[in-house]
Amino acid sequence: MKFQNTVAALATAGLATAHGHGHAHAHKRATETETVSVPGPVVYDFVVLDPSKPGAPEPISIEKACEGLANNEFEWLNSAVASACPSSSSSTATPTSTSTAAPTTTATVAPAILQETSAVITPASSTSTVEPTSSSTSSSTTAAASTSSSSSSSSSGATGLTADFPDGEIDCGDFPSDYGAVALDYLGLDGWSGIQYVTILDNLVSDIVTAVTGDKCHSGAMCSYACPPGYQKSQWPTTQGSTGQSVGGLECKIDNKLYLTNEDHQKLCIPGVGGVHVKNEMSESVAVCRTDYPGTESETIPLNASPGAVQDLTCPSGEEYFKWKGKKTSAQYYVNPKGVSTEKGCQWGDGSEPIGNYAPLNLGVGETDAGKFLSIFPNAPTTYEKLDFNVRIEGDNLSGECRYEGGKFYDSKGLISGNSGCTVGVTSGAAYFVFYSN
């Protein structure tokens, strides 16, 4: 069986949109930091991308994809994920549908991500190999689910996304990467995506001081963390800001140990509702940055949309994820100009460039009783800069059309008056934010 199409590793993930809470978050101190993109767990699914038939990708089993590789019918476009199939260039062994690149997650975990380790398989006769991005290496595929032991003593022998966090056993100075959290070392916060020093008065957080580069997770701090694409942190306390600020993460208590703040979840990272993706059709990477909510609400959660890749975009469950005074949470992402690294784009900016919180465009995703919704909207009034590429929403079953093209927004009726953005509903199936050139 020979495919004349492009075959890509595909990840199931969530959507994004502006926060449903609608509150402004008061930053006591500006966070002057940098962010690094780190790959998530590696559990591969595959789809066929037929360039002659634009639209949603068609699924292909990992058995057929790996068999095609073994028979030299396909070749890797990104060699960083060759480990998805054992000896893919020559072996005829057929992996199971839950085949993983060790050490990572188990079959109980949602399909994997395409960040850094994303792959596209193409017919060997027609396509050359594209080298991974500078931050992508084959050894980095285990970063989010490392099996290295923590320097803190722990009664838990399990590690990674499926491991329960050992409440009160990990030192505050030890980032919990063994439990699925992704360290963002370039922020200069010892891997944390944000740190908040809180003062509690009458069961409300009366004061929040946001950490800056070089600060530590110590007693009295709420220490937030990133999760792999398709996942989101599970921890936030019931005690929230008295004037609408959000607080999230693990709590560092007086004994210098980390404690869960949401005992409904024993695992640090939980999957979104799935079914929303980013597809980059351009030749340059794009930094897509989610706000750390509940938490500092800075756009520090990175996704590197690699060229030719399809990647998960996390969409929180409207019913099950964090609520502020009963209001459901959606997710908001900042889209940087093409070629900007996540290290530079996924952090608090100063306005000297259209990046970070000054990026030109926002993506929003959320879930309601009627289904998911996807939005594209300008980052106004923060900035009126235009993005240097286009974005459209594609999907199996959408309520309408939404695209950003040439710096303007369009829906099913054409050009939108006022340039205010657009939203579509997703009644079923997968949906994609597609990045394409002007």
Side-chain angles (χ1 to χ4, degrees):
M1 182 175 182
K2 187 178 179 81
F3 291 88
Q4 299 302 320
N5 310 318
T6 299
V7 183
L10 176 66
T12 323
L15 321 174
T17 196
H19 293 315
H21 60 90
H23 301 295
H25 184 83
H27 284 270
K28 295 297 182 180
R29 296 158 65 187
T31 304
E32 301 170 357
T33 54
E34 294 182 65
T35 302
V36 62
S37 174
V38 181
V42 186
V43 183
Y44 295 96
D45 282 355
F46 297 86
V47 293
V48 176
L49 302 174
D50 188 344
S52 67
K53 300 176 181 179
E58 297 180 5
I60 180 176
S61 69
I62 191 171
E63 292 90 348
K64 291 187 179 296
C66 292
E67 180 181 359
L69 286 164
N71 294 332
N72 296 318
E73 295 172 345
F74 304 137
E75 62 183 18
W76 290 109
L77 183 59
N78 186 330
S79 60
V81 291
S83 57
C85 299
S87 303
S88 59
S89 62
S90 59
S91 173
T92 58
T94 303
T96 64
S97 59
T98 58
S99 173
T100 62
T104 57
T105 61
T106 68
T108 60
V109 178
I113 58 101
L114 287 179
Q115 180 155 351
E116 304 305 339
T117 58
S118 58
V120 176
I121 308 172
T122 54
S125 59
S126 61
T127 307
S128 61
T129 299
V130 174
E131 292 299 321
T133 60
S134 60
S135 60
S136 172
T137 62
S138 58
S139 62
S140 67
T141 60
T142 60
S146 171
T147 57
S148 61
S149 60
S150 171
S151 58
S152 299
S153 61
S154 171
S155 60
S156 173
T159 60
L161 287 167
T162 60
D164 289 346
F165 183 75
D167 203 29
E169 296 185 21
I170 303 295
D171 289 344
C172 296
D174 294 334
F175 186 80
S177 56
D178 285 354
Y179 299 88
V182 177
L184 307 180
D185 294 330
Y186 281 84
L187 280 172
L189 297 173
D190 291 338
W192 303 101
S193 59
I195 300 174
Q196 298 167 293
Y197 305 115
V198 301
T199 301
I200 298 177
L201 181 65
D202 296 330
N203 294 320
L204 286 172
V205 178
S206 61
D207 188 52
I208 301 174
V209 176
T210 301
V212 296
T213 299
D215 285 346
K216 304 293 182 182
C217 176
H218 58 62
S219 177
M222 298 295 302
C223 305
S224 189
Y225 54 91
C227 290
Y231 291 81
Q232 57 202 340
K233 73 170 179 279
S234 66
Q235 297 301 303
W236 58 84
T238 55
T239 302
Q240 290 290 313
S242 58
T243 59
Q245 315 98 312
S246 69
V247 177
L250 295 167
E251 182 179 3
C252 179
K253 294 189 177 181
I254 196 168
D255 60 353
N256 197 41
K257 300 293 183 182
L258 293 169
Y259 287 82
L260 297 171
T261 54
N262 180 6
E263 294 187 357
D264 289 340
H265 295 285
Q266 301 299 308
K267 296 172 178 57
L268 295 189
C269 294
I270 55 177
V273 298
V276 181
H277 313 278
V278 169
K279 180 166 62 174
N280 184 1
E281 295 182 343
M282 301 185 299
S283 60
E284 294 182 76
S285 295
V286 176
V288 181
C289 314
R290 182 182 177 178
T291 53
D292 189 6
Y293 180 81
T296 67
E297 300 185 36
S298 296
E299 70 303 332
T300 55
I301 310 299
L303 170 65
N304 180 38
S306 304
V310 179
Q311 298 163 277
D312 288 348
L313 200 65
T314 307
C315 176
S317 167
E319 287 299 323
E320 298 178 6
Y321 203 60
F322 173 77
K323 295 180 181 178
W324 199 93
K325 290 189 174 181
K327 297 180 180 179
K328 298 178 181 178
T329 294
S330 56
Q332 180 171 313
Y333 295 82
Y334 288 71
V335 182
N336 289 271
K338 59 187 177 183
V340 175
S341 68
T342 52
E343 292 92 339
K344 186 176 181 179
C346 295
Q347 61 172 302
W348 202 253
D350 59 10
S352 61
E353 298 178 76
I355 61 174
N357 54 310
Y358 289 90
L361 199 69
N362 292 132
L363 307 179
V365 292
E367 185 195 42
T368 67
D369 294 338
K372 303 166 191 170
F373 62 91
L374 281 69
S375 301
I376 309 173
F377 54 100
N379 187 20
T382 302
T383 181
Y384 293 96
E385 291 281 345
K386 295 181 179 180
L387 199 62
D388 56 356
F389 59 91
N390 304 320
V391 183
R392 66 176 181 268
I393 299 175
E394 293 180 354
D396 300 330
N397 294 285
L398 303 180
S399 63
E401 181 181 349
C402 177
R403 75 181 191 275
Y404 173 82
E405 195 166 85
K408 298 181 179 180
F409 294 89
Y410 298 83
D411 61 14
S412 302
K413 298 178 181 179
L415 180 65
I416 297 174
S417 176
N419 211 34
S420 59
C422 49
T423 299
V424 297
V426 183
T427 55
S428 63
Y432 303 81
F433 288 101
V434 182
F435 300 160
Y436 60 106
S437 298
N438 291 324

